[in-house]
């Protein structure tokens, strides 16, 4: 018997001592892993639990060596430190991404670095486990434990990210449980009690219900709208560390993060124009999709490049319109669909844009795709269409102040593009014939053909995305119709624009087929990939959507107006702007349907928290009153039993069961005789003599008691059931002078 109990005592003692510290460490590191690891967060967390257990076991072993334990720990710490340095060094050499950038900047911008992830697990994990062991197992200090829980807050604050509500609640719930548990352990130690701390069901249920109730209440309370200083100054695009410039002063190596961006509403610049409702002002475009982010091809990474602007000019809508119109006048291409009646009043309503901003000093100039900037002497276009100052820092101290003409993309322009009958095959044939007749220069032809090589690359296009694109466009004839159908698809199928949403899976497939919730970056990326799946050249563009006007009638461009959209190459038209993002981002009435969907989603999120809260309350009530509920069901069963002998046997069985639950397991209640049961019940203050006597007569004498006899015994039981269960506290004297407890 002793051999069987010793392992159980060791197990109970180990759980009491190590479970909560290990759980807290796992929760804290799971929250940290969630912001650095793209995948396998649960698997890595499980591995970290094993890492914790090994280190805890090791620390317990060296704790007994009072002289050597310090030196052993320092030696192990130095080994971990050297190994961590090796990991960081190799991470820098292999990727070129500094540890500081990786640690502070969103992983979508700098990418995932395996060596740094390993350091996070081994190095930082060792540090946190050491803190937890010292301040929970070795000696309890609440502020030391609190230090561990502060790490996620510091990391998420520095990276301007928001902690997931559920993760935060769970972490603080475990911390609260740790605090209560360790306080009791500390009190027992201080009072130098010789007995072991009682880890019974009441203790475990009480602690669990209390912290769960508090956690559920925390989730139910609305989150205050508060931003840290760093978060308040970070826009939707890449934040530059150690820079005196603002977020938007220069262009980025990679595209912006698709989730978790923040903005302040700060006005960057204004546009003096009264003639249009919305202008899409491009900053830069990207051509390759890699690891859920957009990048530039290596051969096109020189943003400044040659200033001849040939790529952008020959493929701009203005140039292509002029070229095709001159070719149509020759009559040589009528068999390919190029006739003079295709042309109307498009590209004639020129507007003048005056951009000004006292604190906004970018090295580029925000401009629409059809801005007439080539004739301006202060800037040039590079091979991607970005418009730069000739001197990189020409506006660095004077803010933004430029003026240029542009053709807005409005109904007349889109109507013209929709009339173009060309496929890529017929358009290429027409350009080839144009080279033969001298209507198209070989250089222009080469530039046009290169578009299909550069912007139809299929990286990121999965089978599901390709299938969806084909399903959406199955009834469309032209590339323009296909792209318009993709734009309409998002608004017609319940997609939601939500700046606060951060999904568990950041892949485009998850956005398209599961969450259907995201911001402009997800919508634009999805459309580019679907267009490319159909062999339509498309590129991802970041810039601004200017649609808000101030009291003076000028367009106001804020940091919150940073926007991602799509440029598609339409045969015969050149690059054409499409905005697949559902119109909610403008705050207009057009997005009412999606706003309603978002409202429903918000309600469901809040309702789920209320349901969780009510569920916890139900469990709380159920567990607290579990004994009363079981007793109630017993009495209901007794009420519907007609056979008095069977009711007598059931009553005695219930008495034995209550004594068994409330007694030490060593007493073997079920092996006791009725006389021993009576003595034990009497010591508890329970009046069960009539029930025991009636049981003996029924069980051993075949006696059939009258209903009034059973009711007398049953009545005494009902007054004494709390005493049998060990719950009654109010003592009073019976007629026999024995202490009894009030069963009411």
């Amino acid at each position: 018997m002793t051999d069987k109990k010793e392992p159980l005592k060791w197990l109970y003692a180990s759980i009491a001592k190590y479970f909560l510290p290990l759980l807290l460490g796992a929760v804290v590191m799971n929250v940290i892993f969630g912001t650095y690891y793209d995948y396998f967060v649960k698997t890595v967390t499980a591995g970290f639990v094993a890492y914790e257990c090994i280190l805890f076991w090791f620390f317990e072993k060296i704790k007994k060596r009072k002289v050597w334990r310090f030196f052993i720990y320092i030696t192990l710490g130095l080994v971990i430190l050297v190994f961590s340095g090796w990991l960081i060094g190799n991470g820098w050499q292999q990727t070129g991404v500094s540890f500081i950038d990786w640690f502070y900047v969103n992983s979508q911008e700098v990418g995932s670095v395996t060596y740094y992830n390993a350091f996070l697990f081994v190095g930082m994990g060792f540090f946190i486990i050491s803190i937890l062991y010292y301040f929970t197992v070795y000696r309890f200090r609440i502020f030391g434990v609190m230090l561990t829980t502060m790490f996620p807050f510091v990391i998420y604050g520095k990276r301007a990210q928001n902690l997931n509500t559920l993760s935060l609640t769970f972490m603080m719930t475990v911390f609260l449980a740790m605090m209560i548990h360790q306080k009791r352990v500390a009190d027992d130690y201080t009072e130098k009690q010789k007995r072991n701390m009682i880890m019974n069901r009441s203790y475990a249920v009480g602690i669990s219900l209390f912290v769960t109730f508090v956690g559920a209440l925390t989730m139910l309370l609305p989150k205050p709208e508060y931003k840290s200083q760093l978060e308040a100054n970070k826009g939707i695009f890449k934040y530059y560390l150690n820079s005196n410039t603002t977020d938007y002063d220069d262009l980025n190596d990679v595209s912006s993060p698709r989730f978790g961006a923040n903005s302040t509403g700060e006005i960057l610049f204004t546009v003096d124009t009264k003639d249009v409702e919305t202008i899409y002002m491009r900053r830069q475009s990207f051509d390759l999709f890699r690891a859920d982010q957009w990048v530039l091809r290596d051969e096109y990474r020189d943003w400044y490049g040659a200033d001849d602007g040939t790529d952008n000019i020959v493929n701009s809508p203005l140039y292509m319109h002029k070229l095709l119109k001159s070719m149509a006048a020759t009559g040589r291409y009528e068999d390919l669909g190029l006739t003079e009646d295709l042309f109307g009043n498009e590209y004639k309503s020129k507007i003048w844009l005056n951009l000004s901003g006292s604190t906004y000093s970018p090295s580029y100039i925000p401009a629409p795709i059809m801005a007439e900037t080539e004739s301006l002497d202060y800037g040039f276009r590079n091979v991607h269409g970005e418009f730069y100052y000739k001197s990189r820092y020409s506006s660095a101290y004077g803010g933004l102040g430029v003026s240029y003409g542009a053709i807005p993309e409005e109904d007349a322009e889109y109507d013209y593009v929709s009339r173009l009958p060309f496929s890529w095959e017929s358009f290429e044939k027409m350009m080839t014939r144009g080279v033969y007749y001298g209507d198209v220069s070989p250089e222009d032809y080469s530039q046009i053909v290169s578009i299909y090589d550069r912007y139809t690359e299929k990286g990121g296009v999965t089978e599901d995305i390709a299938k969806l694109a084909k399903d959406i466009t199955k009834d469309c004839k032209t590339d323009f119709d296909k792209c318009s159908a993709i734009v309409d698809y998002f608004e017609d199928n319940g997609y939601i624009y939500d700046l606060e949403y951060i999904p568990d899976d950041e892949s485009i497939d998850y956005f398209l087929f599961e969450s259907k919730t995201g911001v402009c970056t997800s919508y634009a990326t999805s459309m580019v990939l679907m267009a490319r799946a159909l062999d339509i050249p498309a590129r991802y563009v970041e810039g601004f959507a200017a649609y808000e006007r101030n009291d003076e009638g000028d367009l106001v461009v804020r940091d919150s107006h940073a926007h991602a959209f799509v440029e598609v190459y339409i045969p015969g038209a050149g690059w054409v702007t499409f905005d697949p993002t559902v119109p909610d981002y403008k705050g207009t009435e057009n997005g009412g349907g999606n706003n309603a969907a978002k409202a429903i989603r918000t309600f469901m999120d809040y309702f789920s928290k209320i349901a969780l809260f009510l569920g916890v309350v139900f469990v709380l009530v159920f567990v607290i009153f579990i004994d009363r509920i079981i007793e109630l069901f017993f009495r209901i069963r007794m009420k519907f039993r007609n056979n008095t002998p069977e009711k007598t046997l059931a009553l005695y069985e219930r008495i034995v069961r209550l004594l068994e639950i409330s007694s030490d397991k060593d007493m073997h209640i079920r092996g006791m005789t009725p006389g021993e049961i009576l003595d034990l019940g009497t010591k508890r203050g329970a009046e069960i003599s009539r029930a025991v006597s009636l049981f003996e007569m029924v069980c051993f004498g075949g006696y059939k008691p009258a209903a009034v006899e059973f009711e007398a015994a049953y009545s005494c039981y009902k007054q004494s059931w709390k005493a049998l269960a060990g719950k009654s506290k109010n003592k009073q004297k019976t007629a026999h002078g024995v202490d009894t407890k009030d069963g009411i």
Side-chain angles (χ1 to χ4, degrees):
M1 184 67 67
T2 304
D3 292 337
K4 292 182 180 179
K5 288 185 177 181
E6 287 301 325
L8 289 176
K9 287 183 178 180
W10 175 85
L11 179 61
Y12 292 149
S14 299
I15 292 175
K17 189 175 184 180
Y18 304 118
F19 177 73
L20 284 175
L22 291 172
L23 180 61
L24 182 61
V27 172
V28 168
M29 289 304 294
N30 176 262
V31 173
I32 295 175
F33 290 149
T35 193
Y36 290 106
Y37 286 70
D38 294 329
Y39 308 101
F40 310 117
V41 175
K42 294 180 180 178
T43 303
V44 174
T45 303
F48 184 78
V49 172
Y51 186 35
E52 282 186 300
C53 293
I54 293 172
L55 285 180
F56 267 49
W57 172 84
F58 178 77
F59 293 154
E60 284 289 271
K61 290 295 183 182
I62 66 173
K63 185 174 69 172
K64 301 174 182 178
R65 303 178 180 274
K66 296 184 178 181
V67 177
W68 292 100
R69 60 190 178 192
F70 173 78
F71 298 102
I72 295 174
Y73 176 80
I74 292 298
T75 302
L76 178 61
L78 289 174
V79 171
I80 297 292
L81 184 63
V82 171
F83 182 62
S84 298
W86 179 84
L87 289 172
I88 293 174
N90 275 269
W92 164 254
Q93 292 177 3
Q94 296 292 330
T95 65
V97 176
S98 71
F99 177 77
I100 296 298
D101 283 346
W102 175 86
F103 191 77
Y104 283 118
V105 181
N106 192 295
S107 58
Q108 288 189 8
E109 299 180 35
V110 299
S112 177
V113 181
T114 304
Y115 287 100
Y116 294 158
N117 288 343
F119 161 75
L120 190 71
F121 184 97
V122 177
M124 182 175 285
F126 177 80
F127 181 63
I128 287 180
I129 294 171
S130 299
I131 294 176
L132 275 175
Y133 177 82
Y134 185 79
F135 289 117
T136 59
V137 178
Y138 189 78
R139 62 181 59 183
F140 179 68
R141 295 291 185 271
I142 188 61
F143 291 107
V145 181
M146 187 180 298
L147 175 66
T148 304
T149 62
M150 292 304 295
F151 276 96
F153 292 98
V154 173
I155 291 173
Y156 274 74
K158 286 292 186 180
R159 292 164 65 89
Q161 293 177 319
N162 298 318
L163 268 170
N164 178 273
T165 302
L166 183 61
S167 298
L168 174 61
T169 302
F170 189 50
M171 182 174 67
M172 298 314 297
T173 299
V174 175
F175 172 73
L176 182 60
M178 166 73 71
M179 186 172 62
I180 297 172
H181 172 78
Q182 295 296 122
K183 181 65 169 60
R184 180 167 179 177
V185 173
D187 289 344
D188 286 347
Y189 178 78
T190 302
E191 294 172 9
K192 297 181 179 180
Q193 297 179 348
K194 295 183 180 179
R195 59 177 177 84
N196 292 327
M197 188 179 69
I198 300 175
M199 293 290 291
N200 55 23
R201 186 183 66 168
S202 299
Y203 172 78
V205 169
I207 293 295
S208 301
L209 288 174
F210 177 71
V211 298
T212 305
F213 181 83
V214 173
L217 186 62
T218 302
M219 289 188 67
L220 185 61
L221 294 176
K223 182 178 68 174
E225 295 295 329
Y226 175 79
K227 293 181 178 179
S228 66
Q229 187 64 29
L230 174 63
E231 193 177 17
N233 286 281
K234 184 181 187 303
I236 194 170
F237 293 134
K238 182 176 177 180
Y239 183 76
Y240 283 87
L241 298 172
N242 303 321
S243 173
N244 294 324
T245 61
T246 64
D247 297 345
Y248 303 93
D249 286 347
D250 210 341
L251 303 184
N252 304 335
D253 294 330
V254 297
S255 61
S256 306
R258 288 188 21 242
F259 298 98
N262 297 284
S263 58
T264 65
E266 173 190 0
I267 295 177
L268 299 178
F269 60 94
T270 59
V271 184
D272 180 11
T273 183
K274 308 295 190 295
D275 302 317
V276 293
E277 292 185 2
T278 301
I279 301 178
Y280 295 99
M281 312 185 77
R282 67 198 317 277
R283 296 171 68 239
Q284 71 178 115
S285 64
F286 299 90
D287 57 356
L288 289 181
F289 190 64
R290 295 289 184 269
D292 286 333
Q293 64 183 6
W294 288 97
V295 299
L296 294 173
R297 291 178 187 264
D298 292 337
E299 59 266 34
Y300 300 122
R301 281 187 176 275
D302 183 3
W303 288 337
Y304 298 94
D307 61 357
D308 57 11
T310 54
D311 175 79
N312 184 72
I313 294 175
V314 74
N315 291 301
S316 72
L318 296 176
Y319 183 89
M320 289 303 305
H321 183 265
K322 181 179 179 180
L323 176 64
L324 290 188
K325 196 170 184 179
S326 65
M327 293 172 65
T330 66
R332 300 188 184 109
Y333 310 94
E334 291 184 358
D335 61 314
L336 297 175
L338 181 59
T339 59
E340 290 187 278
D341 59 2
L342 281 175
F343 305 94
N345 295 319
E346 63 276 354
Y347 304 119
K348 292 183 178 180
S349 58
K350 182 177 178 179
I351 60 175
W352 196 258
L353 304 176
N354 300 298
L355 280 61
S356 60
S358 59
T359 60
Y360 183 55
S361 303
S363 58
Y364 64 93
I365 300 173
I369 187 67
M370 289 194 291
E372 295 179 326
T373 55
E374 284 70 30
S375 61
L376 302 180
D377 59 1
Y378 55 77
F380 68 89
R381 287 187 187 273
N382 67 1
V383 295
H384 307 291
E386 281 84 55
F387 183 40
Y388 275 91
Y389 291 100
K390 284 187 179 294
S391 174
R392 179 183 174 104
Y393 300 104
S394 62
S395 65
Y397 301 102
L400 178 67
V402 295
S403 299
Y404 53 81
I407 303 295
E409 291 177 288
E410 296 187 305
D411 292 342
E413 286 68 39
Y414 283 109
D415 182 62
Y416 162 73
V417 176
S418 69
R419 295 197 306 268
L420 294 177
F422 311 117
S423 64
W424 165 241
E425 290 76 14
S426 63
F427 180 65
E428 184 184 23
K429 185 176 181 180
M430 185 170 62
M431 290 296 103
T432 303
R433 187 184 299 180
V435 173
Y436 176 80
Y437 285 113
D439 297 327
V440 179
S441 70
E443 293 78 11
D444 288 355
Y445 175 80
S446 176
Q447 288 284 344
I448 292 171
V449 172
S450 69
I451 291 296
Y452 279 81
D453 294 330
R454 189 186 307 176
Y455 295 104
T456 55
E457 200 269 345
K458 298 295 192 298
V461 178
T462 64
E463 291 183 5
D464 290 337
I465 292 177
K467 182 179 183 302
L468 177 63
K470 292 177 182 177
D471 291 342
I472 294 172
T473 61
K474 61 183 178 181
D475 298 324
C476 301
K477 296 181 179 179
T478 66
D479 289 352
F480 179 83
D481 292 339
K482 292 176 182 178
C483 293
S484 299
I486 293 173
V487 171
D488 294 338
Y489 171 79
F490 293 106
E491 189 172 358
D492 295 340
N493 287 273
Y495 282 77
I496 299 170
Y497 180 84
D498 189 352
L499 279 170
E500 301 296 325
Y501 177 70
I502 300 179
D504 296 330
D505 184 344
E506 296 186 357
S507 67
I508 292 298
D509 285 74
Y510 186 79
F511 164 74
L512 281 173
F513 305 107
E514 298 293 336
S515 71
K516 295 187 177 183
T517 303
V519 294
C520 56
T521 50
S522 295
Y523 287 95
T525 298
S526 299
M527 180 172 178
V528 173
L529 296 183
M530 283 195 281
R532 291 184 175 187
L534 302 171
D535 292 319
I536 301 174
R539 61 190 181 190
Y540 174 89
V541 185
E542 290 182 345
F544 301 98
Y547 53 84
E548 177 189 346
R549 292 193 180 274
N550 58 20
D551 295 337
E552 289 74 31
D554 296 336
L555 285 171
V556 174
V557 179
R558 305 176 184 273
D559 63 348
S560 54
H561 295 163
H563 193 56
F565 46 93
V566 178
E567 289 176 355
V568 178
Y569 190 83
I570 303 297
W575 292 107
V576 179
T577 303
F578 289 88
D579 186 6
T581 305
V582 291
D584 300 56
Y585 77 91
K586 295 182 181 180
T588 62
E589 295 180 359
N590 294 334
N594 283 322
N595 281 328
K598 182 178 179 181
I600 293 173
R601 180 176 177 272
T602 302
F603 171 77
M604 292 304 296
D605 288 343
Y606 192 71
F607 179 78
S608 65
K609 294 179 181 180
I610 295 177
L612 174 62
F613 174 75
L614 294 178
V616 171
V617 171
F618 174 79
V619 173
L620 180 68
V621 172
F622 184 83
V623 173
I624 290 177
F625 296 102
I626 183 66
D627 294 324
R628 293 177 181 271
I629 294 172
I630 294 174
E631 179 66 20
L632 176 63
F633 279 112
F634 168 73
R635 296 188 184 188
I636 292 174
R637 291 198 307 270
M638 295 295 286
K639 185 176 182 179
F640 288 97
R641 283 191 175 185
N642 296 322
N643 190 303
T644 304
E646 288 185 2
K647 293 170 73 172
T648 301
L649 297 177
L651 179 61
Y652 183 79
E653 170 65 22
R654 178 62 179 163
I655 292 172
V656 173
R657 178 58 181 161
L658 288 175
L659 289 173
E660 186 178 34
I661 292 174
S662 60
S663 302
D664 187 22
K665 293 182 179 181
D666 293 338
M667 296 185 69
H668 302 291
I669 302 298
R670 289 195 174 273
M672 291 183 176
T673 64
E676 291 173 327
I677 293 293
L678 177 60
D679 290 340
L680 182 58
T682 302
K683 291 178 181 178
R684 296 279 185 91
E687 175 50 60
I688 57 172
S689 58
R690 294 185 180 183
V692 173
S693 177
L694 203 59
F695 166 75
E696 289 181 310
M697 290 189 293
V698 170
C699 185
F700 302 116
Y703 180 70
K704 294 183 178 181
V708 65
E709 292 180 284
F710 174 79
E711 287 300 328
Y714 187 42
S715 178
C716 291
Y717 161 80
K718 288 190 289 186
Q719 296 296 321
S720 304
W721 81 273
K722 286 187 179 180
L724 292 169
K727 295 182 176 295
S728 182
K729 295 181 179 179
N730 299 322
K731 293 185 178 182
Q732 57 187 13
K733 295 286 184 178
T734 66
H736 303 286
V738 180
D739 284 340
T740 188
K741 298 181 180 180
D742 184 9
I744 300 176

